[in-house]
Amino acid sequence: MDELILKEQFVDETAMSRRAFLQGTGLLLGFALTGASTDSVFAAPASRVVENEVTGTFAPNGFIRINPTGAVTLIMPMAEMGQGVYTSLSMLLAEELEVKLDQIQVQHAPANDALYANQFLHIQTTGASSSVRAFSAPLRQAGAVGRNLLIAAAAERWNVDPATCRAKDGVVFDASGSKHLSYGELAKAAAKLPVPPAANVKLKDPKDFTLIGTRAKRIDSPIKVDGRALYGIDTQLPGMKVAAVAISPVLGGKAKTVDEKAALAVKGVRQVVNIDEAVAVVADHTGAAKKGIEAGAITWDDGPNGKVSSADIVKQLEEESKKPGAIARNDGDAETALAQAAQRLEAIYQVPFLAHAAMEPMNCTVHLQKDRCDIWVGTQAVALTQSLVAELTGLPKDAIKIHNHLIGGGFGRRLEADGTVLAVKIAKHVDGPVKVIWSREEDIQHDMYRPYYFDRLSAGLDAAGKPVAWTHRIAGSSIAARYFPIWFKDGLDFDAVEAAAGPYALPNIHVDYVRVEPAGVRTAFWRGVGPTHNVFVVESFMDELAHAAKQDPVAYRKELLGHNPRALAVLSLAAEKAGWGSPLPARQGRGISVQFAFGSYLSAVAEVEVAADGSVKVKRIVCAVDCGMYINPDTIEAQIQGGTLFGLTAALHGSITFKDGRVEQSNFDSYLPMRIDEVPMVETHLIKSAEAPGGVGEAPTAIVSAAVTNAIFAATGKRLRTLPVDTDSLKSSS
């Protein structure tokens, strides 16, 4: 039987599985791999559909499949990791195709940059909050093309003018409404018609939308609630072994000694695989593999990075930041304006390395054979993963099959293929399929981190306190230069400088970037990346300017946003809804932040309370959003809530530090997530807009830190320029 249509079975090793608990059975069919299902979000893998189309299937483009049974399938170009894109992108297609949302099934797109490249990133990647931004137009066009062809097929059968026919809920009606044909009945005939260029097909007027802009239920919620949803870590295959892995605790190190005899003595352990930078113990089940790793008593040769420390890294960044960098923006003459300013302010801001710490730890299942390699994983970058595996194995790309899954938290971590590459290296030594699972400690201590940024700022104010000059130098690692070199041009990392000058009208601005690559650290995209540090820096420093000018922070910003009505609107709405200016008790304060990032305008007000012992309680976050034409308000509100908490976790707790080349944090006791009693109320207020859709998933993560630290200043008079929040510095002296 073709492995692409294997039913996936869950074997209970030591205790009842979560699906067994939810469903009362240990047997589960995943993603409806044997065909279309009326109650599953998922249909057959796209790779199978492309290879073996059902006779008469209507496939006018890379996104739509309608077979003669009437099953409507969207080939999903983006990965689902909790952000709701399966629903929002399905809504875009359903609107123009004229089908109900519950008529659409979703299947993962195969690796294919030509068909499914994200137009903002130019590769097949889910990132940069660009899923809706990148695919709103292509999916609407795909749906409109499909609808027009199906109507044309019906009109041809009835010998009438297509303009007299209409489609609704997957059925085409004639002018009288007495004749009708379902999309399934029309699929075969529509498939024979010439496909018009997508750009030539008229899209619906927004006033005629029946689905876009409405509150639609998540199509993936039912399978997540009842346990049918499959993540990469859930993969089970006949004859599969499980591998626990230990990776060198220092980047660039390798295993020095392994007690293979002791590891193999553990019941269920089958083999030990040593690939220098890591050791894997392959066993019949996870428990045996983990015991085998422990029994192996591995010692390590740390290599050249065994002395790396956080202090060394910060010192390197500080020194390099004194040098001029690649110019990102240079308006007017900031140097002269600074020299002539009535008042000059300077500040240094720093933000730490951050781990992704997704709920689903890194994992990958590989079956490497002589002529093919099958990979079961949750990835944000299907095509990149395929290319790297092809390079590693020497197999052609079309022999590398990526079976993509739901992702239990990505945040940029699954943009990287290092976990898959490691699994394939291990699989080279294993006969049959092997699932490689990282422990939580391995996941956190061998992450690819959000860069540590070291920023220098200067501003000049005139006699009235208005800014006349602004300079901002950013020093930090370049993710773009490593990940996709064509993104790195003339020494400039586009992501590292995004949102660096804010949305303000400033006459003289100079922003530059200094690339600094600390030894012993791997950096990668982290939910919001550049804006997560730039918005914190810019909005905190803007608050410093307002304070120096003896002006209200909201009023001060409004004076600088008269040219930008969308930014001004979100700022005004957030302040109004938060009750800006109303009195608060002692040691409580409000702080505001505004940004333009990922194509969306946001403003957030944080209301905080600082106790006498310095502990900070964020009581309320009020967020105003203009993300252009929105698809599903429910999804946006969920993203604002989730992104806010992700950003708050980083602001209050997040920091990865190094000692002797090793990451000091290892689990959720030392790399703290927010606890439920810390979670504030999060309010979202949407501004209706006809502008092109913007991104939402990362925007709230970027905006929240400055709002919180500005609120802390309002409550205590103490300015925080380094994250995470230092509670010791906030202790009351009274």
Side-chain angles (χ1 to χ4, degrees):
M1 179 184 290
D2 188 334
E3 289 182 2
L4 292 172
I5 57 171
L6 284 174
K7 298 179 180 179
E8 298 193 358
Q9 180 175 355
F10 287 80
V11 179
D12 186 0
E13 297 174 353
T14 59
M16 182 176 288
S17 72
R18 60 189 172 95
R19 285 172 179 75
F21 174 78
L22 289 167
Q23 296 180 267
T25 176
L27 185 65
L28 178 69
L29 296 182
F31 296 142
L33 292 181
T34 53
S37 170
T38 58
D39 63 352
S40 175
V41 173
F42 302 99
S47 51
R48 177 173 171 77
V49 174
V50 171
E51 293 168 0
N52 185 24
E53 294 283 10
V54 176
T55 302
T57 293
F58 174 52
N61 48 58
F63 299 108
I64 301 173
R65 302 288 183 268
I66 303 176
N67 68 33
T69 69
V72 180
T73 301
L74 164 60
I75 312 300
M76 178 59 66
M78 296 284 97
E80 176 64 74
M81 46 194 162
Q83 78 276 42
V85 293
Y86 279 9
T87 304
S88 55
L89 296 190
S90 293
M91 291 172 72
L92 288 162
L93 181 70
E95 182 71 72
E96 295 287 352
L97 187 57
E98 288 290 2
V99 296
K100 294 179 180 178
L101 185 58
D102 62 9
Q103 290 178 268
I104 289 185
Q105 298 176 101
V106 173
Q107 61 187 67
H108 298 289
N112 189 325
D113 273 333
L115 279 177
Y116 304 112
N118 180 319
Q119 65 175 309
F120 282 91
L121 303 175
H122 309 295
I123 52 178
Q124 187 181 355
T125 294
T126 306
S129 295
S130 60
S131 294
V132 170
R133 286 194 289 163
F135 287 98
S136 59
L139 284 172
R140 288 185 62 197
Q141 289 171 341
V145 166
R147 166 172 43 87
N148 282 2
L149 287 171
L150 290 159
I151 288 174
E156 187 176 86
R157 185 174 300 185
W158 295 327
N159 196 27
V160 299
D161 184 350
T164 65
C165 303
R166 63 184 179 87
K168 184 179 180 181
D169 298 341
V171 178
V172 178
F173 298 89
D174 71 352
S176 68
S178 59
K179 293 182 180 179
H180 55 84
L181 291 166
S182 71
Y183 282 3
E185 293 173 296
L186 294 166
K188 188 174 182 179
K192 297 177 181 178
L193 297 177
V195 179
N200 294 351
V201 177
K202 185 178 180 181
L203 302 180
K204 292 172 71 172
D205 190 302
K207 67 179 176 57
D208 298 323
F209 287 163
T210 59
L211 189 56
I212 292 175
T214 66
R215 294 182 178 273
K217 293 181 179 180
R218 288 275 295 265
I219 63 175
D220 53 340
S221 291
I223 62 169
K224 290 178 177 178
V225 170
D226 66 20
R228 284 177 294 139
L230 284 179
Y231 297 83
I233 202 168
D234 296 322
T235 301
Q236 292 290 338
L237 300 169
M240 186 186 80
K241 298 294 188 290
V242 178
V245 64
I247 306 170
S248 170
V250 178
L251 186 64
K254 61 181 181 180
K256 186 162 55 177
T257 64
V258 183
D259 190 341
E260 294 192 20
K261 184 176 180 180
L264 291 168
V266 175
K267 184 179 179 181
V269 170
R270 299 300 175 184
Q271 66 186 106
V272 176
V273 177
N274 186 343
I275 54 172
D276 288 337
E277 77 268 26
V279 175
V281 171
V282 181
D284 293 333
H285 54 80
T286 304
K290 291 182 69 175
K291 290 178 181 178
I293 280 285
E294 294 172 4
I298 305 163
T299 62
W300 300 94
D301 176 353
D302 290 346
N305 297 316
K307 299 298 182 183
V308 170
S309 70
S310 291
D312 293 336
I313 292 170
V314 174
K315 184 177 180 180
Q316 180 187 5
L317 286 162
E318 182 178 12
E319 290 302 313
E320 292 296 318
S321 71
K322 296 175 183 177
K323 304 173 184 177
I327 297 174
R329 185 172 176 183
N330 192 34
D331 300 345
D333 187 345
E335 185 176 349
T336 300
L338 274 172
Q340 298 174 352
Q343 185 178 3
R344 179 168 177 162
L345 290 85
E346 295 185 345
I348 291 175
Y349 279 83
Q350 301 177 61
V351 296
F353 293 112
L354 293 172
H356 299 83
M359 186 60 68
E360 180 188 9
M362 295 293 285
N363 65 89
C364 180
T365 301
V366 180
H367 190 188
L368 179 60
Q369 301 175 72
K370 183 178 179 180
D371 59 351
R372 66 181 292 167
C373 182
D374 285 273
I375 294 172
W376 292 263
V377 70
T379 175
Q380 295 173 242
V382 179
L384 173 67
T385 300
Q386 183 191 53
S387 295
L388 289 174
V389 173
E391 181 180 339
L392 177 63
T393 61
L395 293 169
K397 285 185 181 181
D398 60 6
I400 312 296
K401 303 299 181 184
I402 309 293
H403 308 272
N404 208 2
H405 286 64
L406 289 169
I407 302 173
F411 316 126
R413 183 64 180 100
R414 263 67 176 188
L415 285 169
E416 303 293 342
D418 59 305
T420 299
V421 167
L422 179 61
V424 173
K425 287 181 179 179
I426 294 166
K428 283 185 172 184
H429 302 273
V430 180
D431 184 17
V434 59
K435 176 161 62 175
V436 180
I437 304 176
W438 297 24
S439 68
R440 177 61 61 194
E441 289 77 11
E442 295 293 328
D443 187 88
I444 289 178
Q445 294 186 318
H446 298 91
D447 200 346
M448 301 179 74
Y449 305 103
R450 197 280 303 271
Y452 193 115
Y453 288 107
F454 191 101
D455 292 31
R456 295 181 181 272
L457 293 99
S458 299
L461 308 182
D462 63 17
K466 187 174 182 179
V468 294
W470 178 288
T471 69
H472 184 179
R473 177 166 297 154
I474 300 157
S477 173
S478 173
I479 305 163
R482 173 191 60 81
Y483 191 83
F484 203 48
I486 66 170
W487 290 345
F488 186 76
K489 297 179 180 178
D490 301 321
L492 193 62
D493 184 311
F494 78 98
D495 177 73
V497 301
E498 184 177 356
Y504 303 105
L506 301 171
N508 301 285
I509 304 174
H510 183 90
V511 179
D512 61 4
Y513 166 72
V514 178
R515 182 184 181 187
V516 184
E517 300 295 344
V521 185
R522 302 186 306 170
T523 60
F525 296 111
W526 180 95
R527 191 175 186 176
V529 203
T532 63
H533 107 274
N534 283 325
V535 175
F536 165 65
V537 170
V538 169
E539 287 302 293
S540 296
F541 197 49
M542 188 59 69
D543 242 48
E544 292 198 48
L545 303 192
H547 181 71
K550 297 180 173 57
Q551 295 182 29
D552 174 80
V554 171
Y556 193 76
R557 286 172 170 81
K558 284 183 176 180
E559 286 294 317
L560 302 175
L561 291 174
H563 71 296
N564 194 330
R566 295 179 71 187
L568 184 60
V570 292
L571 175 74
S572 300
L573 182 59
E576 174 196 340
K577 296 297 184 181
W580 187 268
S582 60
L584 289 170
R587 293 186 69 82
Q588 292 190 29
R590 294 189 187 93
I592 198 158
S593 181
V594 64
Q595 73 182 31
F596 175 67
F598 309 106
S600 294
Y601 290 87
L602 269 76
S603 183
V605 175
E607 189 174 306
V608 308
E609 179 178 10
V610 183
D613 65 358
S615 60
V616 175
K617 172 68 175 177
V618 182
K619 304 181 73 172
R620 183 185 180 210
I621 300 289
V622 178
C623 193
V625 185
D626 176 357
C627 58
M629 183 185 77
Y630 52 77
I631 312 306
N632 186 350
D634 275 0
T635 299
I636 295 169
E637 290 173 4
Q639 285 288 77
I640 296 297
Q641 291 165 357
T644 294
L645 299 187
F646 199 79
L648 278 176
T649 288
L652 297 176
H653 304 305
S655 181
I656 290 292
T657 57
F658 291 82
K659 183 179 179 181
D660 296 330
R662 291 158 167 78
V663 172
E664 295 186 280
Q665 295 70 32
S666 61
N667 209 315
F668 290 135
D669 59 337
S670 51
Y671 192 76
L672 298 176
M674 285 192 76
R675 301 315 200 230
I676 194 166
D677 62 341
E678 296 179 280
V679 174
M681 291 180 57
V682 180
E683 300 175 23
T684 304
H685 301 277
L686 282 172
I687 293 177
K688 195 165 187 178
S689 173
E691 299 290 338
V696 174
E698 294 165 277
T701 298
I703 201 168
V704 70
S705 295
V708 168
T709 54
N710 289 339
I712 289 171
F713 176 79
T716 66
K718 296 181 180 179
R719 181 69 64 185
L720 300 178
R721 294 182 176 138
T722 300
L723 292 178
V725 169
D726 178 10
T727 56
D728 285 341
S729 70
L730 301 177
K731 291 179 179 178
S732 174
S733 58
S734 59

mmCIF file of all heavy atoms in Angstrom, residues 517-540:
data_model
loop_
_atom_site.group_PDB
_atom_site.id
_atom_site.type_symbol
_atom_site.label_atom_id
_atom_site.label_comp_id
_atom_site.label_asym_id
_atom_site.label_seq_id
_atom_site.Cartn_x
_atom_site.Cartn_y
_atom_site.Cartn_z
ATOM 1 N N GLU A 517 27.767 39.124 14.718
ATOM 2 C CA GLU A 517 27.439 37.704 14.861
ATOM 3 C C GLU A 517 28.220 37.117 16.037
ATOM 4 O O GLU A 517 29.379 36.720 15.887
ATOM 5 C CB GLU A 517 27.764 36.948 13.569
ATOM 6 C CG GLU A 517 27.014 37.431 12.341
ATOM 7 C CD GLU A 517 25.509 37.210 12.427
ATOM 8 O OE1 GLU A 517 25.072 36.421 13.288
ATOM 9 O OE2 GLU A 517 24.785 37.830 11.631
ATOM 10 N N PRO A 518 27.620 37.066 17.218
ATOM 11 C CA PRO A 518 28.329 36.517 18.376
ATOM 12 C C PRO A 518 28.671 35.045 18.171
ATOM 13 O O PRO A 518 27.865 34.269 17.641
ATOM 14 C CB PRO A 518 27.323 36.692 19.523
ATOM 15 C CG PRO A 518 26.358 37.731 19.045
ATOM 16 C CD PRO A 518 26.281 37.546 17.566
ATOM 17 N N ALA A 519 29.858 34.650 18.594
ATOM 18 C CA ALA A 519 30.272 33.252 18.480
ATOM 19 C C ALA A 519 29.432 32.375 19.401
ATOM 20 O O ALA A 519 29.015 32.792 20.480
ATOM 21 C CB ALA A 519 31.746 33.123 18.846
ATOM 22 N N GLY A 520 29.165 31.167 18.937
ATOM 23 C CA GLY A 520 28.499 30.190 19.797
ATOM 24 C C GLY A 520 27.001 30.324 19.910
ATOM 25 O O GLY A 520 26.387 29.658 20.747
ATOM 26 N N VAL A 521 26.386 31.168 19.072
ATOM 27 C CA VAL A 521 24.941 31.390 19.153
ATOM 28 C C VAL A 521 24.339 31.305 17.752
ATOM 29 O O VAL A 521 24.874 31.898 16.804
ATOM 30 C CB VAL A 521 24.604 32.772 19.749
ATOM 31 C CG1 VAL A 521 23.091 32.916 19.930
ATOM 32 C CG2 VAL A 521 25.318 32.982 21.072
ATOM 33 N N ARG A 522 23.234 30.583 17.630
ATOM 34 C CA ARG A 522 22.484 30.559 16.374
ATOM 35 C C ARG A 522 21.245 31.431 16.550
ATOM 36 O O ARG A 522 20.523 31.302 17.546
ATOM 37 C CB ARG A 522 22.056 29.146 16.002
ATOM 38 C CG ARG A 522 23.212 28.156 15.867
ATOM 39 C CD ARG A 522 22.721 26.810 15.357
ATOM 40 N NE ARG A 522 21.635 26.263 16.159
ATOM 41 C CZ ARG A 522 20.902 25.201 15.820
ATOM 42 N NH1 ARG A 522 21.149 24.584 14.683
ATOM 43 N NH2 ARG A 522 19.948 24.743 16.607
ATOM 44 N N THR A 523 20.993 32.322 15.605
ATOM 45 C CA THR A 523 19.821 33.192 15.694
ATOM 46 C C THR A 523 18.837 32.875 14.575
ATOM 47 O O THR A 523 19.215 32.365 13.517
ATOM 48 C CB THR A 523 20.217 34.674 15.611
ATOM 49 O OG1 THR A 523 20.871 34.928 14.358
ATOM 50 C CG2 THR A 523 21.133 35.047 16.755
ATOM 51 N N ALA A 524 17.571 33.189 14.829
ATOM 52 C CA ALA A 524 16.522 32.879 13.851
ATOM 53 C C ALA A 524 15.333 33.797 14.084
ATOM 54 O O ALA A 524 15.244 34.507 15.091
ATOM 55 C CB ALA A 524 16.097 31.415 13.973
ATOM 56 N N PHE A 525 14.420 33.760 13.132
ATOM 57 C CA PHE A 525 13.196 34.559 13.247
ATOM 58 C C PHE A 525 12.386 34.096 14.459
ATOM 59 O O PHE A 525 12.227 32.903 14.700
ATOM 60 C CB PHE A 525 12.369 34.444 11.972
ATOM 61 C CG PHE A 525 13.050 35.001 10.753
ATOM 62 C CD1 PHE A 525 13.486 34.169 9.739
ATOM 63 C CD2 PHE A 525 13.269 36.363 10.626
ATOM 64 C CE1 PHE A 525 14.123 34.679 8.619
ATOM 65 C CE2 PHE A 525 13.907 36.890 9.515
ATOM 66 C CZ PHE A 525 14.339 36.042 8.505
ATOM 67 N N TRP A 526 11.885 35.060 15.193
ATOM 68 C CA TRP A 526 11.096 34.826 16.413
ATOM 69 C C TRP A 526 9.909 35.769 16.338
ATOM 70 O O TRP A 526 10.071 36.935 16.000
ATOM 71 C CB TRP A 526 11.956 35.117 17.637
ATOM 72 C CG TRP A 526 11.346 34.936 18.992
ATOM 73 C CD1 TRP A 526 11.433 33.836 19.786
ATOM 74 C CD2 TRP A 526 10.601 35.898 19.746
ATOM 75 N NE1 TRP A 526 10.792 34.042 20.979
ATOM 76 C CE2 TRP A 526 10.264 35.313 20.979
ATOM 77 C CE3 TRP A 526 10.177 37.208 19.497
ATOM 78 C CZ2 TRP A 526 9.525 35.982 21.960
ATOM 79 C CZ3 TRP A 526 9.447 37.870 20.468
ATOM 80 C CH2 TRP A 526 9.128 37.259 21.686
ATOM 81 N N ARG A 527 8.765 35.297 16.640
ATOM 82 C CA ARG A 527 7.502 35.996 16.422
ATOM 83 C C ARG A 527 7.592 37.530 16.556
ATOM 84 O O ARG A 527 7.462 38.090 17.630
ATOM 85 C CB ARG A 527 6.457 35.467 17.404
ATOM 86 C CG ARG A 527 5.032 35.927 17.103
ATOM 87 C CD ARG A 527 4.045 35.280 18.042
ATOM 88 N NE ARG A 527 2.671 35.590 17.694
ATOM 89 C CZ ARG A 527 1.614 35.083 18.314
ATOM 90 N NH1 ARG A 527 1.786 34.238 19.309
ATOM 91 N NH2 ARG A 527 0.391 35.417 17.942
ATOM 92 N N GLY A 528 7.821 38.183 15.428
ATOM 93 C CA GLY A 528 7.909 39.638 15.391
ATOM 94 C C GLY A 528 9.301 40.157 15.144
ATOM 95 O O GLY A 528 9.497 41.236 14.600
ATOM 96 N N VAL A 529 10.305 39.421 15.544
ATOM 97 C CA VAL A 529 11.734 39.671 15.347
ATOM 98 C C VAL A 529 12.080 41.166 15.405
ATOM 99 O O VAL A 529 11.992 41.777 16.452
ATOM 100 C CB VAL A 529 12.259 39.044 14.045
ATOM 101 C CG1 VAL A 529 13.758 38.812 14.146
ATOM 102 C CG2 VAL A 529 11.573 37.725 13.779
ATOM 103 N N GLY A 530 12.480 41.773 14.258
ATOM 104 C CA GLY A 530 12.931 43.162 14.271
ATOM 105 C C GLY A 530 11.980 44.119 14.973
ATOM 106 O O GLY A 530 12.388 44.855 15.888
ATOM 107 N N PRO A 531 10.706 44.141 14.604
ATOM 108 C CA PRO A 531 9.777 45.041 15.299
ATOM 109 C C PRO A 531 9.645 44.770 16.791
ATOM 110 O O PRO A 531 9.364 45.699 17.554
ATOM 111 C CB PRO A 531 8.452 44.787 14.562
ATOM 112 C CG PRO A 531 8.868 44.425 13.180
ATOM 113 C CD PRO A 531 10.116 43.597 13.365
ATOM 114 N N THR A 532 9.868 43.540 17.259
ATOM 115 C CA THR A 532 9.731 43.295 18.695
ATOM 116 C C THR A 532 10.753 44.097 19.480
ATOM 117 O O THR A 532 10.510 44.454 20.633
ATOM 118 C CB THR A 532 9.912 41.799 19.057
ATOM 119 O OG1 THR A 532 11.237 41.370 18.733
ATOM 120 C CG2 THR A 532 8.892 40.938 18.349
ATOM 121 N N HIS A 533 11.892 44.359 18.872
ATOM 122 C CA HIS A 533 12.863 45.190 19.584
ATOM 123 C C HIS A 533 12.763 46.649 19.166
ATOM 124 O O HIS A 533 12.844 47.555 20.002
ATOM 125 C CB HIS A 533 14.278 44.620 19.392
ATOM 126 C CG HIS A 533 15.177 45.383 18.495
ATOM 127 N ND1 HIS A 533 15.208 45.206 17.137
ATOM 128 C CD2 HIS A 533 16.094 46.354 18.778
ATOM 129 C CE1 HIS A 533 16.103 46.016 16.610
ATOM 130 N NE2 HIS A 533 16.657 46.723 17.567
ATOM 131 N N ASN A 534 12.523 46.918 17.889
ATOM 132 C CA ASN A 534 12.482 48.305 17.436
ATOM 133 C C ASN A 534 11.307 49.088 18.015
ATOM 134 O O ASN A 534 11.452 50.256 18.380
ATOM 135 C CB ASN A 534 12.436 48.357 15.907
ATOM 136 C CG ASN A 534 13.791 48.089 15.290
ATOM 137 O OD1 ASN A 534 14.820 48.482 15.835
ATOM 138 N ND2 ASN A 534 13.813 47.396 14.160
ATOM 139 N N VAL A 535 10.151 48.451 18.094
ATOM 140 C CA VAL A 535 8.996 49.167 18.645
ATOM 141 C C VAL A 535 9.205 49.443 20.129
ATOM 142 O O VAL A 535 8.868 50.524 20.627
ATOM 143 C CB VAL A 535 7.692 48.384 18.396
ATOM 144 C CG1 VAL A 535 6.516 49.070 19.079
ATOM 145 C CG2 VAL A 535 7.425 48.262 16.897
ATOM 146 N N PHE A 536 9.775 48.464 20.844
ATOM 147 C CA PHE A 536 10.099 48.704 22.254
ATOM 148 C C PHE A 536 11.036 49.900 22.392
ATOM 149 O O PHE A 536 10.823 50.798 23.216
ATOM 150 C CB PHE A 536 10.740 47.459 22.867
ATOM 151 C CG PHE A 536 11.420 47.707 24.185
ATOM 152 C CD1 PHE A 536 10.689 48.086 25.302
ATOM 153 C CD2 PHE A 536 12.798 47.574 24.305
ATOM 154 C CE1 PHE A 536 11.321 48.334 26.516
ATOM 155 C CE2 PHE A 536 13.442 47.814 25.510
ATOM 156 C CZ PHE A 536 12.695 48.195 26.621
ATOM 157 N N VAL A 537 12.066 49.945 21.569
ATOM 158 C CA VAL A 537 13.066 51.009 21.659
ATOM 159 C C VAL A 537 12.478 52.355 21.246
ATOM 160 O O VAL A 537 12.590 53.354 21.966
ATOM 161 C CB VAL A 537 14.289 50.656 20.787
ATOM 162 C CG1 VAL A 537 15.233 51.832 20.675
ATOM 163 C CG2 VAL A 537 15.008 49.436 21.345
ATOM 164 N N VAL A 538 11.843 52.389 20.081
ATOM 165 C CA VAL A 538 11.319 53.650 19.550
ATOM 166 C C VAL A 538 10.226 54.227 20.456
ATOM 167 O O VAL A 538 10.229 55.420 20.790
ATOM 168 C CB VAL A 538 10.785 53.449 18.119
ATOM 169 C CG1 VAL A 538 9.988 54.667 17.651
ATOM 170 C CG2 VAL A 538 11.939 53.171 17.160
ATOM 171 N N GLU A 539 9.292 53.368 20.873
ATOM 172 C CA GLU A 539 8.175 53.874 21.667
ATOM 173 C C GLU A 539 8.577 54.225 23.097
ATOM 174 O O GLU A 539 8.000 55.115 23.714
ATOM 175 C CB GLU A 539 7.030 52.855 21.650
ATOM 176 C CG GLU A 539 6.297 52.809 20.326
ATOM 177 C CD GLU A 539 5.719 54.166 19.950
ATOM 178 O OE1 GLU A 539 4.803 54.647 20.643
ATOM 179 O OE2 GLU A 539 6.220 54.770 18.981
ATOM 180 N N SER A 540 9.578 53.554 23.610
ATOM 181 C CA SER A 540 10.101 53.935 24.923
ATOM 182 C C SER A 540 10.826 55.276 24.835
ATOM 183 O O SER A 540 10.660 56.153 25.696
ATOM 184 C CB SER A 540 11.066 52.862 25.441
ATOM 185 O OG SER A 540 10.404 51.638 25.644
#
